[in-house]
Amino acid sequence: TDAPHVEHDAADVVAGFAATLPAVCHDATRFHLGGVFVDGADFVATDGHRLLTRRSAVTMGGKRIVPTKGVVQIMKMINDAATCEITWSDAAIFVRVDGVVMSVKLIDAQFPPWQQAVPTSGRTVSVSRRELADVIDRARKVAGDSDASGLLQACDNQPWLPETGLVSTQIR
């Protein structure tokens, strides 16, 4: 293509895709959510229930949706490389590593306005990632195989899982 080839840190690209891939929608009727949306420096994915974002160190390009299978192949291709060149066209992403070029056809659809789902004001609670993961892990173990849902609430700047009949704990 005639578009500029931009060199990126391969580990940053892999991290962006890997961080958002778990939220990609697998419902064929919602094909516009079936990949990772690259929005400038942001990698974004949602299945309509959860939204994952990760900001890259550099701008990746315009607003384009890379399909899940393409994301996985790109990650495999650049995983061991130090850098990769990325070029975008209206219909594809081209990734070059060590003289090998991969082309992935983009999803031709409009991604929903994801910024509207991200709160810009209100209360913010900071917790240790490890402590939060431990609380969630304990709740999963108690819930077992049930489809019970949990609720995370903040009380006096201390997040906690309220009494749901299964688990009640506080992060200190």
Side-chain angles (χ1 to χ4, degrees):
T1 71
D2 294 335
H5 298 268
V6 180
E7 192 168 285
H8 295 279
D9 176 35
D12 189 41
V13 176
V14 169
F17 281 135
T20 53
L21 203 52
V24 168
C25 184
H26 300 289
D27 181 354
T29 63
R30 303 177 82 191
F31 68 95
H32 61 291
L33 302 178
V36 175
F37 183 54
V38 179
D39 185 3
D42 295 310
F43 292 82
V44 184
T46 184
D47 61 3
H49 301 282
R50 57 191 168 165
L51 176 107
L52 293 175
T53 66
R54 184 171 198 283
R55 184 164 294 249
S56 176
V58 295
T59 299
M60 292 287 297
K63 300 174 182 294
R64 297 172 173 99
I65 307 169
V66 183
T68 304
K69 287 182 181 180
V71 167
V72 171
Q73 292 305 313
I74 290 169
M75 289 172 57
K76 285 180 183 177
M77 178 184 183
I78 68 175
N79 194 39
D80 295 328
T83 61
C84 62
E85 282 185 17
I86 295 180
T87 305
W88 298 91
S89 74
D90 290 339
I93 179 175
F94 302 90
V95 181
R96 180 191 319 254
V97 174
D98 298 329
V100 177
V101 178
M102 176 187 292
S103 169
V104 174
K105 186 175 186 268
L106 302 172
I107 295 174
D108 186 18
Q110 176 111 14
F111 198 81
W114 65 274
Q115 295 94 338
Q116 292 178 5
V118 179
T120 57
S121 64
R123 284 185 13 183
T124 301
V125 178
S126 296
V127 296
S128 159
R129 181 179 179 164
R130 180 46 136 180
E131 285 181 291
L132 181 59
D134 289 345
V135 167
I136 293 170
D137 189 47
R138 284 196 303 273
R140 280 188 185 147
K141 287 178 181 172
V142 171
D145 290 336
S146 76
D147 288 334
S149 62
L151 175 65
L152 181 65
Q153 291 183 337
C155 180
D156 296 327
N157 292 327
Q158 292 294 316
W160 61 291
L161 291 170
E163 191 64 50
T164 63
L166 295 175
V167 177
S168 180
T169 187
Q170 267 193 304
I171 301 174
R172 300 197 196 305

